[in-house]
Amino acid sequence: HRLFVMEVGRDPSKGAPHRIPPTQIPVPPEAASDFPVSLVIDAKNDVAFLLTKAGFVYMFDIHSGKTMFRTRITQETMFVTCAQASTGAVFGITVRTGRVYRVGLNGANLIPYIVNTLRDNDLAIKVAGRLGLPGAEHLYTQQFEALMGAGQVKEAAQLVASSGSALRTPQTIARFQQIPAEPGAPQPVFQYFSTLLEHGKLNEQESIELAKPVLQQGRPQLMEKWLKDDKLHCSEALGDLIMPHDTAMALSVYLRSETHAKAIQCFVQRGEYDKIVPYSTSVGYSMDYSSMLSQLLFSNPQGALDLAKGLVSADGGPLIDIQATAEAFLSSNRVQETTAFLLEALKDNKEEHAYLQTKLLEINLIGGAPQVADAIMQNGILTHYDRAHIGKLCERAGMWQRAAEHYSDINDIKRVFKNSHQMNPEFVVTYFGKLNREQSIALLKDMMSRGPSNMQVCVEVAKKYNDELGSEELVKVFENAKATEGLYYYLGAVVNFSEDPVVHFKYIQSACMLGQFKEAERVCRDSNIYKPEQVKEYLKNAKLPDPRPLIHVCDRYDFVDELTEYLYLNSLLQYVEVYVTKVSPAKTPQVVGKLFDLGANEDFTKRILMAVGTACPVEEMVEIAEMRNRLRMLQPWLEARVATGSTEPGTHNSLGKIYIQMNKDPKAFLTNNMFYEPKVLGPFCESLDPSLAFVAYKKGAGECDDELIKISFTHGLFRDLARYLVERQDLELWAKVLTKEEGEEGDIDAEKESQRRQLIDQVVEWALPESESADEVSCTVKAFMAADLPGELIVLLERIILQGSDFSDNKNLQNLLILTAIRADHTKVASYIDQLDNFDAKDIALICVSESHMLYEEAFTIYVKFAKPEHTTDKEEQIEMQVLAMGVLVDYMKDLDRAKTFANQVDEKPVWSKLGNAQLEEKMAADAILSFISAEDASEYVRVCAEANEAEIYAEVIPFLKMARKNLQENLLDTELIYAYAKTNNLTDLEKFVNGPNVANIQNIGDRCFSEGLYNASKILFKSINNNSKLALCHIHLEEYREAVAAASLANNVSTWKQVCFACLKASEFRLAATCGLEVIKYPDHVDDVVTTYSDLGHFDHLVSLFEQGLGLEDAHIGIFTELGILYTKHVPEKVMEHCKVFFSKLNVSKVVRACERARLFKPAVYLYMQDKQADSAVKTMSEHSSAFDNDLFLDAIVKVRNAEIMYKAVSFYLTMHPMLFTRLMEVLEDHVDHSRVVNQLRRTGDWALQLGQAYMKTVQKENLSAVNEALNELYIEDEDYESLRKSIDKFQNFNMIALASKLATHELLEFRRISAYVYRCNKKWSQSIELSKNDRMWKDCIDTANESADEETIEDLLRFFCETSEKECFCAALYTCFSHVRPDVAIELGWLNGYHHFIMPFLVQNMRQTYERLQVLEKRTQPPKEEDAQDQIAQTYGQLGGFGNGMLMLENGGGMGGMPGGMPGGMMPPGQGGIDMSGFGQAGMPNGMPPGGMMPNGMPGGMPPNMSM
């Protein structure tokens, strides 16, 4: 096998593609026949992974083609692989087990493997350099030294570049810098840096070393290029080098290196103050901005402003105090900058900035820039300032409008508005919208009181705020100021929209006062709001020269009489004529009536009427004239209207009344005139001449019928009325005169009855004989019928029909005669039927058989008469009449025998069909069948079959069904025929018919026969349609079990199998039942039915055997295995465990477990719980039933439970039932339980439980829980094991230490009391610890405790105690140990008082040495500078005073103090930093036993001098 590597798709212009010779793949001997299955490329590391069929993986270097590693990772084949681009790893899945493998490059071990195993140093160097892997450092070093020794500088530089970080050190740079340059060639160090730049990016030291010579040569553009190409490592030192040459480039370096302080210095130096705050905020850098602002304020105010704006606009909130900054700007008299700053700072308009907002406006108003303040207020960006104060300032500055905006008190507002003439009128109008109603009215009154100069603006205010202020109040303001003109203009603007009567009245009044009569007239004419009485009275009293406003008011509100009287009495007659002709002609009658009352000249009145002409309403005018007896005066006017072609009824009515009164040919007028109203002239004529009234009413053409009848009855005009009634042909009118009217008690009025009889006689004697119109005769007959006058009607009709007339053969009249006889006299009907031939036979016959008459014989006679040929020629109509006659016999007379006789007489099929239907209705099924056979009518086969089934005449119905099948192919016919054969047990004909052609529903009839127990017939039917399911049931009922099984196998459905199975089982056919049962239990839903049936019958062995056979079924399901397991628990318990183990995967675990528990078979139940991963239930079962307990199984289950409470129950269970296994249980549960709760559980159980759990608690004490620590400490105290207690306290201090110390303080053993003192000491209870140690004479403990406390008072008390007890050595040891905390005067005093001079001498010597060194440091710090450095020192001092360093701001991250001067590391260390060791006085790891807190300011350890000893 060989590996081929070749680059594909390379652009030829970029050179030849990469290609290497084929390399041999090292296949192991044991896999000689192995072959590759996939090749995956790791593009990240340029490595190829080859996977083979035998599970080997090969790793190749793509650049060289060499094999770097080979191993076998699996015995299976990986059928699919893929690469992960982010890590370079390869994933693969095996064929059979589906395991997923991840293969990747182990960079830490690759190079050592190549070096030590493959021994290919060249490959190791190349791979390590390309991938930057460790392990080849010594190889690089060896090769580098060889190249440097040979003088191959360029090759050495390339080696360093390819070595990753192995050789790129300062030492390497120094080696190249030490090599002298050859003449005409670049320096080696530049060659080195050039090679590194070609390969990638320089590190920090390389970047700095390269920058130094480049900047010295004045070539910063190279640095800029390298920075853009990201070839240099940016650092603070590199930025410092670039800073003197290029600030922008240095800023870029500082930003990349995150040197925030230097970056901000660059911003300051470049004047980019607006960038400082965003940068500081983005990087989270804090600095002292106040000092920077203070410095910039004097040198660069604009820069200070930019910086301040940025500081107050920072995202997290202002970084400076706004008020202090503003005051700083003001202190420098920078009003403009202060304004700009505050505008930026206060742009959020917060309430807490109210003072600053006020200050901002104040400095501009007072400082001579009111226009700025005005602009600020105009923008409305500030709303929380002191408005009253600013208002006063605005007023002083002459800003009247702004002052008014800020005042709320009405007195202040009035004062400002004294200058309203200097304000913008629009502002004044708008300002009123901000005031309440009372303030607005008061201000308006004040303005109006100052003269007419404010009237125009006040009018505008009143117009705009009319709704808010109220028109009533505004009118009072203008009236009080006597500003009629202003009132007129104000009301003129609102009157068209106002609905206030006062507004309209006042406007009319002001218009009249100002002579604006046209406006007054317009409002009086168009307005609907004003009060008419009030306006009318005002206009009448005003006596205006132009009365038109009054005319409009009186005309609109019907004050016509008053208007007429006013105009007449004031000699304004021309306006009367104008009024009636042009304003309101319709009201002429009222004007004329009033003129009549006033006694005006008739000529003037007639002239007015003629001038108005047709515009004057006639009826009203005539009525007024009649009331005043002046009707004849209207004749010329009325005749003139008629002459103009007027058709108004009122005109003609009036003219008619005049003619009737004057007896000027009134009948001709009433007869010929088409426009008068009869209802008007008729009553007018009744008192004068009734005949004229009859003519007038008759002219009404029906409108005056009631009046006409009344006058006819009153004056005996019966003949005229009879003729009128016949001619009108109106049934309603006939009803009015023919209907009898009853009195209150039901008696008929004799007078009215006499009048009615006279009218009827006139109709019979004169009206009808004179008439030649059939419609008139017909309408009259109908009227008599409607009036319920049958006797009179019969006489009338007999006279017309029987006595001979033009209407004798009239069909309608003959029908009417017979119908009237039917209704009034039944005895005459038969004779009329015999005498008359031209009437509607069918309709008359139907009326005869109706329930109200029941003339059945007459109807039968009509049908029989008209069924004869002489009356009906059409054969079909004859048969129809015969059928109808049969209907009368069977439907009404119910005489079936007479009907059968009639049918035999006529012998027509429809007649027989009618008879058959009747016989069916009467339940005479056999006779009906014969009738239908005679009629050959099968239409009623459905009813015939139903009646035959009900009567059970199956033999009789067979001929009918055969007859019906000749013409019909209906499912019901064939079905009923089959059923009849079955019921008559004619199985031969049945089988023949079924096998022949038919359309019967075999399934339904088969089910019907089956349900009725006709199993032989059912068997034939089901067999014919292959319904094997039903066929099997038939065999069962016939006890043919083998045939039933055969049919079930053909049907092959579970319900059939189940029924056959249960039938065989009941018949003790167990073999057949098992055959069927196996087919049933294939279906899970029917397993329970099989089990229930077998169990109910007690065949348990056969049931178990059935399910055992079912295990061998090809499609055996989980229900079979589950049910067999349940049966085993009931009947064969010894097989349960084996069954569960063999078939666990095929069981319904929950059902089998419940069965096991019911049978008390707990071991199988536990096994099933465990296999089903129900560890909770398994543990519960083993805990509750000892027979199921198994320790290993219990421990395996307890760690898998989901309910943690079960673990704590298991603890109690083991403590109670298996205490010797408790430790093992807790080893298992260590990572799963709350140890504090377990310890509390042990405490509640008893002391013996704590002893039992001691080993467990020691194991879990590493958790450092208080409950565990306290329990173990109690056990240690009880066992008097002070060593273990001391170790426990040292390692685990999470418990109530004070309580333990108090408990041990009185212990009888010394070591326990020492532990008590130690605990007090750990809790900084120094006095209690020292007292305990004193009592036990543990002086070393006392000294260590006092030293650790670092409390001078405590140490001094201990020293005095040692002096009192003459413990000299302890006194000296305490001075030595507590040197850092003992005041020299105390030591000297105690030594002098007690004579311990020699014991305090070491302390004094050390103290003097320390004092000397501190003085020496102070002298060096304060000595004057040398002469040659004086000027530089002075300049530096002044620079530092201003906060500048090197000409720029000195910025620090925070305001803390700097470090100690050189040579002084440290300072005082916090006490208690070292661990406490009670084994001796000296501190471990500290020189001369000094404590760690005793470091001196000069950096020396705080012990004795090196040359001194105790």
Side-chain angles (χ1 to χ4, degrees), residues 357-377:
Q357 293 182 4
T358 306
K359 195 69 176 176
L360 171 59
L361 297 173
E362 181 181 341
I363 60 177
N364 285 280
L365 288 170
I366 298 176
Q371 68 279 3
V372 176
D374 183 67
I376 294 172
M377 290 184 282

Side-chain angles (χ1 to χ4, degrees), residues 871-904:
H871 293 288
T872 303
T873 58
D874 188 24
K875 182 64 176 177
E876 292 183 359
E877 291 185 4
Q878 294 175 10
I879 294 174
E880 182 183 0
M881 288 295 178
Q882 293 171 352
V883 172
L884 292 173
M886 176 61 75
V888 173
L889 293 175
V890 298
D891 296 335
Y892 299 101
M893 301 175 70
K894 304 295 182 184
D895 191 350
L896 295 182
D897 294 335
R898 185 177 174 183
K900 189 173 182 181
T901 303
F902 179 72
N904 286 323

Side-chain angles (χ1 to χ4, degrees), residues 224-406:
E224 184 176 0
K225 177 181 179 302
W226 292 331
L227 284 172
K228 287 182 179 179
D229 296 341
D230 197 21
K231 294 291 187 179
L232 302 179
H233 182 278
C234 295
S235 62
E236 182 177 1
L238 181 61
D240 294 342
L241 284 174
I242 301 174
M243 185 68 179
H245 302 85
D246 192 331
T247 308
M249 191 188 306
L251 175 60
S252 175
V253 173
Y254 289 141
L255 292 176
R256 296 186 188 184
S257 63
E258 298 183 358
T259 309
H260 307 310
K262 297 291 182 67
I264 292 174
Q265 288 181 2
C266 287
F267 284 131
V268 173
Q269 189 168 349
R270 291 167 58 85
E272 298 175 345
Y273 303 101
D274 55 334
K275 296 182 180 179
I276 295 175
V277 177
Y279 173 73
S280 301
T281 305
S282 63
V283 300
Y285 181 73
S286 60
M287 57 183 292
D288 185 6
Y289 295 108
S290 300
S291 60
M292 179 184 291
L293 278 174
S294 300
Q295 297 161 11
L296 288 175
L297 193 58
F298 298 101
S299 59
N300 189 350
Q302 184 59 40
L305 175 60
D306 295 339
L307 178 59
K309 286 183 177 181
L311 292 172
V312 297
S313 302
D315 293 338
L319 302 177
I320 55 174
D321 184 84
I322 299 175
Q323 184 173 347
T325 306
E327 291 175 354
F329 277 105
L330 275 178
S331 63
S332 302
N333 198 22
R334 297 288 181 179
V335 177
Q336 184 177 355
E337 287 79 2
T338 306
T339 302
F341 166 71
L342 287 177
L343 283 175
E344 180 67 24
L346 305 179
K347 63 182 179 182
D348 295 333
N349 193 21
K350 296 181 179 178
E351 188 173 356
E352 59 265 25
H353 295 155
Y355 171 75
L356 293 174
Q357 293 182 4
T358 306
K359 195 69 176 176
L360 171 59
L361 297 173
E362 181 181 341
I363 60 177
N364 285 280
L365 288 170
I366 298 176
Q371 68 279 3
V372 176
D374 183 67
I376 294 172
M377 290 184 282
Q378 178 68 28
N379 292 333
I381 58 177
L382 306 178
T383 59
H384 300 291
Y385 55 84
D386 186 349
R387 301 184 66 82
H389 178 64
I390 297 302
K392 292 178 181 178
L393 295 179
C394 291
E395 187 176 358
R396 293 177 190 172
M399 298 169 62
W400 312 114
Q401 294 184 186
R402 294 297 178 198
E405 288 177 345
H406 289 76

Side-chain angles (χ1 to χ4, degrees), residues 116 330 383 406 695 807 872 961 1000 1006 1254 1379 1506:
N116 300 325
L330 275 178
T383 59
H406 289 76
V695 173
F807 303 104
T872 303
L961 294 174
Q1254 186 172 3
F1379 171 80

Side-chain angles (χ1 to χ4, degrees), residues 795-960:
V795 173
L796 179 63
L797 292 175
E798 285 181 349
R799 181 176 179 182
I800 296 173
I801 298 173
L802 300 180
Q803 295 180 10
S805 70
D806 294 339
F807 303 104
S808 297
D809 294 330
N810 189 289
K811 178 181 287 188
N812 292 332
L813 293 179
Q814 291 188 11
N815 289 336
L816 182 59
L817 178 59
I818 296 175
L819 291 175
T820 306
I822 291 172
R823 181 180 178 189
D825 189 356
H826 294 169
T827 58
K828 295 183 178 181
V829 176
S831 63
Y832 288 156
I833 292 173
D834 292 337
Q835 294 178 44
L836 302 178
D837 297 325
N838 190 21
F839 61 88
D840 293 326
K842 294 182 181 179
D843 297 335
I844 299 298
L846 288 176
I847 294 173
C848 290
V849 299
S850 63
E851 292 183 1
S852 60
H853 303 294
M854 295 187 292
L855 302 176
Y856 303 132
E857 287 293 347
E858 286 78 357
F860 180 73
T861 302
I862 292 172
Y863 287 135
V864 171
K865 177 180 179 180
F866 281 85
K868 295 178 180 180
E870 57 268 21
H871 293 288
T872 303
T873 58
D874 188 24
K875 182 64 176 177
E876 292 183 359
E877 291 185 4
Q878 294 175 10
I879 294 174
E880 182 183 0
M881 288 295 178
Q882 293 171 352
V883 172
L884 292 173
M886 176 61 75
V888 173
L889 293 175
V890 298
D891 296 335
Y892 299 101
M893 301 175 70
K894 304 295 182 184
D895 191 350
L896 295 182
D897 294 335
R898 185 177 174 183
K900 189 173 182 181
T901 303
F902 179 72
N904 286 323
Q905 290 175 359
V906 299
D907 194 22
E908 294 291 343
K909 293 180 180 180
V911 177
W912 282 112
S913 297
K914 182 69 176 178
L915 177 61
N917 284 310
Q919 290 169 337
L920 278 180
E921 293 292 338
E922 296 297 327
K923 304 296 182 181
M924 301 169 63
D927 293 339
I929 289 172
L930 292 176
S931 297
F932 282 123
I933 292 174
S934 298
E936 297 182 2
D937 182 9
S939 61
E940 296 295 332
Y941 68 90
V942 177
R943 294 174 59 201
V944 171
C945 294
E947 294 296 334
N949 286 329
E950 184 178 353
E952 297 183 356
I953 51 174
Y954 301 107
E956 290 80 355
V957 80
I958 290 176
F960 172 80

Side-chain angles (χ1 to χ4, degrees), residues 104 114 221 310 510 651 800 877 897 914 964 1167 1180 1258 1283 1325 1348 1394 1449 1481 1507:
I114 296 174
Q221 63 275 9
S510 60
T651 302
I800 296 173
E877 291 185 4
D897 294 335
K914 182 69 176 178
Y1167 174 79
K1180 182 179 179 182
K1258 287 181 179 179
E1283 293 181 354
K1325 303 292 183 182
E1348 186 176 347
N1394 296 284
L1449 286 173
F1481 286 105
N1507 57 352

Side-chain angles (χ1 to χ4, degrees), residues 580-600:
V580 296
T581 55
K582 296 184 179 180
V583 178
S584 184
K587 294 184 180 179
T588 303
Q590 293 176 261
V591 175
V592 172
K594 189 63 176 178
L595 290 174
F596 285 158
D597 296 339
L598 293 172

Side-chain angles (χ1 to χ4, degrees), residues 29 31 84 186 239 275 334 372 397 420 919 969 1049 1062 1267 1347 1448:
Q84 186 179 26
K275 296 182 180 179
R334 297 288 181 179
V372 176
S420 58
Q919 290 169 337
Q969 286 188 355
S1049 63
F1062 296 163
N1347 179 55
M1448 58 188 74

